[in-house]
Amino acid sequence: MDQQPIKTWMGSTTLSKLWFWLLAFTYGILLWGTFVRASRSGSGCGRSWPKCEGSFFFDHQNLAQMVEYIHRASSGLYGIFAIGLVIYTLKKKKFSHYGLLALGFLFFVFVEAWVGRMLVVRE
């Protein structure tokens, strides 16, 4: 019997898997952000953004700085992954409804990043 590849919601198993992992990363970022808030580490890096106290490295002896820095770094990676995946989706799906959904997703990623930046800068 000839086996057919499983059809996914986007028609491409690779694309679906990439979006799944970005979604999983999204939940990880949200959980870590909740931990940052609960541990009151949000001001660990001060008002300098995206740096931590004016440096791209944190003080390893300051737990609040480490927690906040990990959140900032993972959020930055998340933004890079999101941009890459949206570009990949647009290449594969052009401007179909999947491409438009990807652009909408990217818009909300940028809004969230802007809100996060404003919270840091304005304390």
Side-chain angles (χ1 to χ4, degrees):
M1 185 173 226
D2 202 20
Q3 290 191 356
Q4 296 290 328
I6 298 172
K7 274 297 217 187
T8 61
W9 65 276
M10 291 186 99
S12 165
T13 56
T14 302
L15 197 54
S16 294
K17 286 177 185 176
L18 290 172
W19 276 101
F20 171 80
W21 285 110
L22 187 67
L23 179 64
F25 196 14
T26 302
Y27 284 119
I29 295 281
L30 289 172
L31 289 174
W32 191 256
T34 302
F35 177 71
V36 170
R37 184 82 169 162
S39 67
R40 299 177 188 241
S41 301
S43 60
C45 286
R47 293 177 69 181
S48 61
W49 187 91
K51 296 178 180 180
C52 190
E53 294 292 344
S55 173
F56 281 111
F57 302 100
F58 63 91
D59 179 9
H60 295 293
Q61 296 174 350
N62 186 337
L63 185 61
Q65 261 189 18
M66 183 174 65
V67 169
E68 173 62 14
Y69 185 82
I70 289 170
H71 183 62
R72 287 185 186 191
S74 59
S75 295
L77 284 175
Y78 176 76
I80 292 168
F81 292 155
I83 290 169
L85 189 52
V86 167
I87 290 170
Y88 183 72
T89 301
L90 290 174
K91 280 185 172 184
K92 287 285 193 185
K93 298 296 180 184
K94 307 291 184 231
F95 280 97
S96 67
H97 59 282
Y98 297 121
L100 294 175
L101 282 172
L103 287 173
F105 164 78
L106 193 58
F107 170 77
F108 286 112
V109 167
F110 280 118
V111 168
E112 188 276 333
W114 180 79
V115 168
R117 180 192 180 283
M118 295 311 292
L119 287 172
V120 168
V121 170
R122 296 192 178 177
E123 291 184 298

